[in-house]
Amino acid sequence: MNKKLLTISCISSLSLTMYTGCSDSTSAADFYNAGEEIDASSSSASDNQTTPTLDSSDSSISSSSELPPDDSTPGSSANVPASSSEASPASSNSNGTSSATIAYSSTPAAQSSSSAQPEQVNENPGDRPVIAYAASGATVTNAGNCVTVTGGTVTIKCGGEYDFSGSYSGSDAQILVNTAKTDSSVYLNMKGLTLTNTADAPIYIQKASKAFVVAKNGTTNTFTDASSRAKTYSYTNDAGEAKTDTTGACIYSKDDLTIKGEGTLIVKANYNNGIHTSNDLKVKNGLITVNAKNNGLKGKGSVEISGGTINITTTEGDGIKSDTEDATDLASGKGSIEITGGTITVTSAFDGITAANAVVVANGESEKPTIKIITGGGHSCLSDPTTASSSTGRGGFGGGGFPGGMGGSSCSTTESMKGIKGDSSIAVSGGVIDINSRDDGLHSGGTITLSGGTMTIATDDDGVHAEKALYVKDNANVSVTIAYEGMESPDMNFEGGITSVITTDDGWNAAGGTSTTTGGNTGRGGWGGAGGGMGGSTGNLKVSGGYHYVYVGTGDTDGIDSNGGISITGGVIIVECRMNGGMGGMVDSDGTTTISSNAKLLGFGTNNSEEGTQYSVSFNTNSYYGTSDIAFKPSFSGSKMVSSVGQPGVVNSVSGMTKTCFGNSTDRCVYTK
């Protein structure tokens, strides 16, 4: 919490009378000068706090106590926070009875001078405004000069805290905030409010320094907007510019917006977006459900999620989105999404999480995020290896089970239905992520860095696709359970972590970059043939650490494929390749391939491998194969093996070896010394 220490100046009885008499000239901007954002993980900045009692009989009071926004019930006494440079004392209450007026000064009482100018007095009494909705519209208590009510429309004109409750439906059902950008933040405390606007948006934050929608603990708050818009709003911003606006969301803000509180917030967006701000959107906590026609959560400047249980469903749009196109904003890091906490479920028509800049998923200070994403109905056209049976062993793909016998082909739609998309970069260092997507699981127009967290991906296209570079390292745990290609990037670097990919085409494909071929998925740059992505592209693949498993189906498929060179200097790699046509096999390179003896590589195939030291070894699903340093039980039978640790054969015992399993499997495990 940001704190301000307030010094209450001594005021004579004559001064009190003078202040009360001049209250009519008070500017609306002087009310509730809270000054700075009050940030707390609780449902309110002021929950469960004790405020000092001010005796109205005293003509002078001196105190340095903190006076936070109060969370008292309607009608109780509340202390009004003030900035250190402006005064916001109380004057007369709503029934005309004079009350003690307390002037707040940035100068201690002992230093005050008789020549100091008197501070302005706000006509709002000490209690915060309380707005109650009923069938006839809204009524307000303690309105002061900061709240106006017209039927069901409540207009907020000053910074501060406002309590809302009740239920109302109508074409005028709206909370409209229009405060000076130099004013303090606006807190809309929802204490059990159901608001349905049949013509527009129920919450419209037209102008504010910062706005907070707070769902108070133990309450359910539901907001529903109209399915169309006919109304436009004209106003003047702080720069004196005339603006015309139409609300584009159920909760629609032009300035910074924070969603918080320990209560329940339900948003039903029939027109466009669920919760939208043209600046920065933050979600702190709460139980949040958004059903939107277009995007669920959208912060054009940025989106930050640090907590809460969030359920998003969209019928025609993306789940969570940040999409500024301003070059200056992008250069400063705007257009990004950061998730450091919360339990998030996204079921979207198109992309699950998408940013014009970067997407970052990391563990927060006190929790780690859990994210589940389903896009485009989830993968639907590639054979699922967890249910398909093999005529020769456990799991895996039936022979010839893919179109035309030429390996699997992507059946992703031309629309973008990716799990997580970051135009510049994606960085995952923590959390638990589960993606089921019609399009790529992870896709970046730049780089992808996976250094931590646990990730499971099922897709009809690529599991992980980076247009520039892919890095897997540290404690990353990535499992692609079904994909066209498991991981693809022109520059692939495996420095650590545990990965598993099960694909219908290439497992790892170092390709792309300069490709100019067309066809296939929109924006993909073409497949360059059934084998996937030759087309003049370049590639570079390096493995220096980690544990990695690659399984590819039948057809013209490659386990590890590079359109450039391959350098394997460390790590543990298991490749199962069921290729039955074409060239390549377990390891395929168009450039120079170097496999160090420090690396532990075992490949199992049904055909020759283009690269690596190859051995004619018949293997089946009943035994472990390898050497005294590495052993693995294959999932199908074959007669070709690649090994970097010498002549492979049957390993009779794995006792004393270290077991490492790939993905969520309990039987696809490698044993090493």
Side-chain angles (χ1 to χ4, degrees), residues 115-268:
S115 61
Q117 293 297 317
E119 298 177 359
Q120 273 195 319
V121 177
N122 189 279
E123 64 178 313
N124 193 279
D127 293 338
R128 78 172 55 141
V130 176
I131 297 94
Y133 275 95
S136 59
T139 57
V140 59
T141 304
N142 305 320
N145 60 338
C146 294
V147 182
T148 60
V149 174
T150 305
T153 299
V154 176
T155 302
I156 307 297
K157 299 181 290 183
C158 315
E161 290 195 279
Y162 301 83
D163 294 348
F164 293 86
S165 63
S167 179
Y168 181 71
S169 176
S171 60
D172 58 345
Q174 187 176 80
I175 301 168
L176 192 156
V177 175
N178 188 321
T179 68
K181 294 292 288 289
T182 55
D183 205 346
S184 57
S185 300
V186 175
Y187 290 81
L188 306 178
N189 296 326
M190 303 303 169
K191 295 188 170 183
L193 176 63
T194 298
L195 202 58
T196 301
N197 194 314
T198 58
D200 208 270
I203 297 181
Y204 175 28
I205 299 163
Q206 192 176 79
K207 188 171 62 172
S209 172
K210 291 181 180 180
F212 294 76
V213 174
V214 185
K216 305 300 282 187
N217 190 19
T219 69
T220 298
N221 306 275
T222 303
F223 300 94
T224 306
D225 72 350
S227 59
S228 62
R229 296 288 192 270
K231 185 175 181 179
T232 59
Y233 298 82
S234 298
Y235 65 98
T236 302
N237 65 13
D238 280 9
E241 301 169 329
K243 294 290 184 180
T244 301
D245 195 22
T246 301
T247 61
C250 185
I251 298 179
Y252 185 71
S253 176
K254 303 297 290 183
D255 291 307
D256 293 346
L257 175 64
T258 297
I259 308 296
K260 62 181 293 187
E262 295 177 354
T264 298
L265 178 67
I266 299 172
V267 177
K268 300 177 181 179

Side-chain angles (χ1 to χ4, degrees), residues 5 13 30 63 69 82 85 90 101 204 206 211 250 331 391 407 420 442 448 511 513 520 541 545 565 655 670:
L5 298 180
S13 299
D30 290 329
S63 172
S85 60
T101 303
Y204 175 28
Q206 192 176 79
C250 185
S391 61
I420 299 177
L442 299 184
I448 294 177
L541 191 152
S655 177
V670 63

Side-chain angles (χ1 to χ4, degrees), residues 480-502:
V480 179
T481 61
I482 177 63
Y484 174 66
E485 291 189 338
M487 298 186 180
E488 180 175 5
S489 179
D491 186 5
M492 305 182 74
N493 303 271
F494 295 86
E495 302 169 8
I498 300 174
T499 71
S500 170
V501 299
I502 299 175

